Amino acid sequence: DTAVSQTPKYLVTQMGNDKSIKCEQNLGHDTMYWYKQDSKKFLKIMFSYNNKELIINETVPNRFSPKSPDKAHLNLHINSLELGDSAVYFCASSQGGFNTEAFFGQGTRLTVV
Amino acid sequence: AQSVTQLDSQVPVFEEAPVELRCNYSSSVSVYLFWYVQYPNQGLQLLLKYLSGSTLVKGINGFEAEFNKSQTSFHLRKPSVHISDTAEYFCAVRWNTGNQFYFGTGTSLTVIP
């Protein structure tokens, strides 16, 4: 059983399109995250939800909109895709409390052409 | 501001030699420390974590790390590396003042046969 699963794994799309990435965790965690990993492997937090409530919203263009229908799911919708959005997007989850680790999905490699 | 520093972006090492990957962070007030490994085209996998207690923590695949509060460091070590250890390694820190994980910029470990 995959603990944190993301779909799709690869996404190639043209500039200007709208796309979504889905994430589901079956660990019963309260908190979910979206991270962006750029071409230099740097990981940057984008959003975090706790029990469906947005708690972290870093400086991310408004074209990115997360949605959490329930605490097991956190989807990422991206409007008007740009070349600079090409990256690997990771979903992660963790249990409540600071002394817990994050569990990561396999990532979604987004390529905008 | 909170930050995590991995000074070595690339570390080449011969097979069966020891290795140390360095990690420093900005403040040791109530920190929780993690090392993750990322194999090519995969997500991040937890290697080990320091939450409290003994400052020397052991993880998977023969890795260990030592929490040094005075030097605000959490260096990762392995006494004898294998080819299969070739991967990207990330140090992550969680402070109890916020909800997110702060990642270093990663160290690319290459094991040379």
Side-chain angles (χ1 to χ4, degrees), chain B residues 24-41:
Chain B
N24 289 87
Y25 49 91
S26 53
S27 166
S28 63
V29 175
S30 297
V31 291
Y32 305 98
L33 305 162
F34 309 86
W35 274 99
Y36 284 86
V37 60
Q38 184 181 25
Y39 299 105
N41 297 316

Side-chain angles (χ1 to χ4, degrees), chain A residues 4-7 20-25 30-35 45-56 65-77 90-93:
Chain A
V4 182
S5 60
Q6 297 178 228
T7 53
S20 292
I21 306 172
K22 296 186 176 182
C23 179
E24 176 182 5
Q25 55 97 1
D30 297 324
T31 306
M32 296 185 73
Y33 311 81
W34 278 111
Y35 280 85
I45 183 78
M46 299 175 71
F47 303 102
S48 176
Y49 271 73
N50 182 266
N51 279 321
K52 302 195 299 176
E53 181 182 342
L54 181 65
I55 54 173
I56 294 176
S65 55
K67 280 189 173 56
S68 182
D70 55 61
K71 75 174 192 175
H73 295 83
L74 179 61
N75 303 323
L76 183 65
H77 188 75
F90 285 102
C91 177
S93 72

Side-chain angles (χ1 to χ4, degrees), chain A residues 60-93:
Chain A
V60 175
N62 291 338
R63 300 180 293 102
F64 290 80
S65 55
K67 280 189 173 56
S68 182
D70 55 61
K71 75 174 192 175
H73 295 83
L74 179 61
N75 303 323
L76 183 65
H77 188 75
I78 316 169
N79 289 326
S80 304
L81 278 154
E82 300 177 357
L83 293 177
D85 298 332
S86 296
V88 181
Y89 293 85
F90 285 102
C91 177
S93 72

Side-chain angles (χ1 to χ4, degrees), chain B residues 18 21 33 51 67 81 84 108:
Chain B
L21 305 184
L33 305 162
L51 304 179
F67 168 55
V81 293
S84 58
S108 177

